[in-house]
Amino acid sequence: HNVIAIVHYKINYDNNLSLQQFILPPKNKLPSLIKILTDYKIDIAINFQGLHNKTSALLIEALKGSSIKLISVLHNSFDSILWENTYLSKLMKYRVLKRMLRKSLAILQKIPFYKNGSYIYKYSDKVVLLSPSYIEEYKYFINRKTNKVTAIYNPNPFKSTSEFPKRKRDIVLFVGRLDNQKGLDKLLRIWKEVHNQNWELVIVGDGPLREDLISY
């Protein structure tokens, strides 16, 4: 396959990955995008910004009238739209408010001309979620049959091995971004209740909540 990456800004990839990049200009993005898709005779466009309405709408508009297939990837739960908002993330911690916010978000998807969930689903040939457990959630927000939806787990780049460390430690390990979406405040509160002296909690990662979590 001949694969190219069309991005808003330059991305530095792993040294083992050789991928040609095209950076969209700040202005006249649509004609620039159409030209790239046409010049390189693209067969399939993979939209990795399936939760980002502006980028998705730009790509959908560029594909209109073409035979190019569109695959939209949601590399997160639909709830992340709410969790990523600094103010709303605080309200999402309360069960009643969380239910109300999720309902409001679902209603928002049904508003005509709102180019987000339902709009992206309508123009995608396939929608890919991160886990099968997200399919019902996606169905709740989009309110559609999920005949175009599938799930692909995060790939594991490591080769299997039968070699294990001879010395083992009893640890609970978290690896990920240190932000509101990951629920680390809950993890620490739970650990306070259940941990014992024989086990330790190890958190690997970085993010905006690092100092707050250390302080807590």
Side-chain angles (χ1 to χ4, degrees):
H1 300 286
N2 181 27
V3 181
I4 64 172
I6 305 174
V7 296
H8 291 289
Y9 51 87
K10 181 177 174 57
I11 299 174
N12 294 319
Y13 296 110
D14 184 275
N15 292 333
N16 296 326
L17 183 63
S18 178
L19 198 62
Q20 187 174 7
Q21 285 189 23
F22 292 91
I23 302 175
L24 291 176
K27 298 181 179 179
N28 300 317
K29 289 185 177 182
L30 182 58
S32 299
L33 181 55
I34 292 174
K35 186 176 188 308
I36 296 170
L37 294 170
T38 303
D39 289 350
Y40 282 80
K41 300 178 180 179
I42 298 301
D43 300 305
I44 301 174
I46 304 176
N47 171 26
F48 281 103
Q49 295 287 335
L51 278 172
H52 192 285
N53 54 337
K54 289 185 178 180
T55 298
S56 297
L58 175 68
L59 182 55
I60 289 169
E61 190 65 29
L63 296 180
K64 284 184 177 179
S66 74
S67 59
I68 302 173
K69 300 292 185 182
L70 174 61
I71 299 174
S72 291
V73 180
L74 280 68
H75 198 76
N76 222 321
S77 71
F78 218 97
D79 272 355
S80 65
I81 297 174
L82 301 170
W83 283 109
E84 288 174 358
N85 182 286
T86 304
Y87 175 71
L88 296 180
S89 65
K90 298 177 181 179
L91 303 180
M92 287 287 284
K93 297 177 181 179
Y94 302 96
R95 184 175 300 178
V96 175
L97 294 177
K98 179 179 179 180
R99 190 180 302 119
M100 294 173 60
L101 288 170
R102 293 179 88 246
K103 185 65 175 179
S104 299
L105 183 60
I107 293 173
L108 185 63
Q109 308 310 310
K110 299 176 179 63
I111 297 178
F113 311 115
Y114 179 64
K115 297 180 178 180
N116 195 252
S118 296
Y119 174 84
I120 296 169
Y121 177 89
K122 177 182 178 181
Y123 288 100
S124 297
D125 294 281
K126 203 76 172 178
V127 173
V128 178
L129 306 179
L130 191 58
S131 165
S133 63
Y134 288 156
I135 292 179
E136 286 304 312
E137 178 194 78
Y138 184 81
K139 186 177 180 180
Y140 168 79
F141 284 109
I142 303 303
N143 193 26
R144 291 176 179 270
K145 294 181 179 180
T146 56
N147 59 315
K148 293 196 297 185
V149 178
T150 190
I152 300 177
Y153 290 113
N154 269 335
N156 179 4
F158 299 102
K159 297 179 180 179
S160 61
T161 178
S162 59
E163 296 180 6
F164 293 96
K166 293 181 179 180
R167 297 182 61 186
K168 294 184 179 181
R169 293 165 57 194
D170 294 326
I171 67 172
V172 173
L173 174 66
F174 169 88
V175 181
R177 299 191 313 277
L178 307 185
D179 61 20
N180 282 320
Q181 186 186 351
K182 298 299 183 181
L184 280 157
D185 56 329
K186 293 181 181 178
L187 173 61
L188 292 179
R189 290 200 299 270
I190 292 170
W191 184 250
K192 181 181 178 181
E193 299 294 327
V194 304
H195 86 285
N196 61 58
Q197 298 301 319
N198 297 323
W199 286 73
E200 61 178 317
L201 173 65
V202 177
I203 297 176
V204 179
D206 203 355
L209 291 186
R210 179 184 177 89
E211 296 304 319
D212 291 340
L213 292 169
I214 292 174
S215 175
Y216 184 84

